[in-house]
Structures are given as structure tokens and as C-alpha cells.
Amino acid sequence: MGTTAGRHRQPPAPAEEFTMGDVHFEIGATTVLGPLPAAYGLLVAVRARRGRAGWTGRHAVTRMPAAAYAAGVLALTLFPVVVTYGEYANLMPWTNQINWVPVPSPDPSILANVVLTVPLGVLLPLTTARLGAAWRSASRSR
């Protein structure tokens, strides 16, 4: 009597529509950039120990501040990444967020962008021999 042979199964209930709900979280700079300086320091140490050209001496010493500078620039310009969906999302179309008419006066943030690139101009020639030679020849030209 306990057999189900010949009985019809009931069709499954219709699936409810999947809704993702409201999502709001941030991905911080330390989550992504935290392990990178340690990994890069290990890479510099291994290559300096093996005596690879361009990774010993002053080049190895200046690569770590250059990596810290790059991590700082990424942290200031790209992070935090804000992920939103649902009620918290920005519902304004992206075309409304574009400045179609450029501002006729100079933007004060231009100065901050120039200051942000100064360490790159100082550290980059110190990290590689090729750029150091090009830097010396460019500084001696009239």
C-alpha cells in the first residue's frame, strides 16, 4: 500500500520572483591595497637577494617609497568603492551627471593634481637606470 506507482505528483508551486533586495556596502582601500605593499616588499627583497640588475642598491631602496606613493594615489583616487542596489542606488541617469558645458574659469583642483604628480617625477628616475639616464640628458639640454 505504500507504493506511489500510478499516482501523479502535484506540479511545483510557481517560483516567486527573485529580488535582490537593498544592497549597500563599501570596499575600503585597506581591503584591496593592504596586502600589496607587503607582497611588493617581498618581491623587491627576493630580486635584490638574487642580484637582479635594477633591483639592488639605491634602486631597491627607492622602489618601496615609489610603491607606497602608488598605493597612496590609488587609495585617494579610486577608493572607497561604493556598491549600491535597490533603494540605496542612485537612480539619476548618468547622462544628467555630465558637465556638457566646460567651466570657463580654471578649476582649483588643477593645483592638487600637479602636486600629486611631483613625487612621481622625483621617484621614477631614481627607480630605473634607463629613466635616470634620460632624466640626466634632458636636464643638461638647453
Side-chain angles (χ1 to χ4, degrees), residues 10-95:
Q10 292 183 350
E16 294 182 21
E17 185 176 322
F18 175 74
T19 58
M20 190 166 175
D22 296 329
V23 176
H24 177 75
F25 63 94
E26 292 184 3
I27 301 172
T30 55
T31 305
V32 178
L33 299 176
L36 288 181
Y40 189 72
L42 182 65
L43 175 74
V44 169
V46 167
R47 289 191 173 184
R49 177 115 171 123
R50 292 182 180 170
R52 300 238 354 222
W55 291 85
T56 59
R58 71 180 176 102
H59 297 295
V61 172
T62 57
R63 284 182 191 271
M64 288 309 295
Y69 164 74
V73 168
L74 289 174
L76 289 174
T77 57
L78 298 179
F79 291 98
V81 176
V82 179
V83 179
T84 57
Y85 182 82
E87 180 182 345
Y88 302 110
N90 183 2
L91 301 177
M92 181 185 293
W94 66 270
T95 54

